[in-house]
Amino acid sequence: MANASAKKIAAQNETAIKNIQLGMLIASLLSILLRLLLRRNTLTLSFRTLLSSSTYLITFFLSRFLTRVGTPRRSASGELLSPGDDLNQAGMTEWCFDVLYITWACQVGSAALGDWVWWLYSVIPLYAGYKGYNLVSPFLLGRPAAAGADDVPPVGPTSKRQEKLRKRNERGDPRVKTQQRK
C-alpha cells in the first residue's frame, strides 16, 4: 500500500499528464485551424512548413517522455505500486514543460499572427546558454579566496541563545569559552 505522499504525487502526475494531452490536442488543432482560416498560403511546402512540422515532433517526443516517466504504475487490483517521477520537480522535467509551453505558443502564435512569432523560440537556447555560463563561470573565473583569520564574520540575524552567549562573553562570564578562528 502506498503512503499519502506517493498517492498525492500520483494524483498530481495524472492531472499533469491529462493537461499535457489536452494541451497537445488544443495547440495542434488550433494551429491547423488558424492556418486554414487566416494563412492558407503558409500550407505549401516551404521552410515554415518544415519548421512547424519539426516542432510538432519536438512536442510529441517531450510529451511522450513526460508521460512515460510520470505515469503511475498500478497493480491489477488498482493498488498504487509506484507514483512515477514527480512531474512538479525542478530540473529536467521543468525544462521539458517550458519547452512544451513555448513551442505551443509559437505554433498557435505563428498561425494567428505570422512567422515572426518563431523568434520567441530563441529564448530556449539563450536560457540554456545563461544556465551553462552560470554553471561554468566559477571555474573559468577562479574561485574566491578562502576567508582568512583577520576577516570579520558576516553580521546576520542571530538566535536568542547566540545573543545570550555573546552578552555573557562580553561580560567575561567563565561559563562561555571563546574559540579563535584559524
Side-chain angles (χ1 to χ4, degrees), residues 6 12 14 26 42 51 62 65 102 112 166:
Q12 288 174 346
E14 287 171 343
I26 290 173
T42 62
L51 179 66
L62 285 177
F65 168 73
I102 290 172
R166 185 187 61 77

Side-chain angles (χ1 to χ4, degrees), residues 143-173:
R143 295 178 185 242
D150 298 333
D151 292 341
V152 177
V155 178
T158 57
S159 66
K160 288 182 179 180
R161 182 174 185 278
Q162 289 173 333
E163 191 65 29
K164 186 190 281 186
L165 289 173
R166 185 187 61 77
K167 287 180 181 178
R168 281 184 185 169
N169 186 28
E170 288 174 356
R171 287 187 307 226
D173 194 330

Side-chain angles (χ1 to χ4, degrees), residues 35 41-59 103 107 110 115 118 121:
R35 284 197 186 279
N41 62 344
T42 62
L43 294 176
T44 61
L45 185 61
S46 64
F47 174 73
R48 59 180 88 131
T49 308
L50 294 175
L51 179 66
S52 183
S53 300
S54 65
T55 60
Y56 284 116
L57 289 175
I58 290 170
T59 58
T103 305
Q107 287 172 347
S110 68
D115 290 334
W118 286 110
Y121 221 58

Side-chain angles (χ1 to χ4, degrees), residues 25-80:
L25 181 68
I26 290 173
S28 299
L29 290 177
L30 196 57
S31 174
I32 292 170
L33 183 66
L34 287 172
R35 284 197 186 279
L36 285 173
L37 293 176
L38 302 176
R39 303 194 177 279
R40 193 173 290 261
N41 62 344
T42 62
L43 294 176
T44 61
L45 185 61
S46 64
F47 174 73
R48 59 180 88 131
T49 308
L50 294 175
L51 179 66
S52 183
S53 300
S54 65
T55 60
Y56 284 116
L57 289 175
I58 290 170
T59 58
F60 174 75
F61 286 123
L62 285 177
S63 66
R64 291 298 306 150
F65 168 73
L66 290 171
T67 301
R68 189 177 66 244
V69 299
T71 301
R73 285 192 351 240
R74 299 189 183 275
S75 66
S77 63
E79 186 177 328
L80 183 65

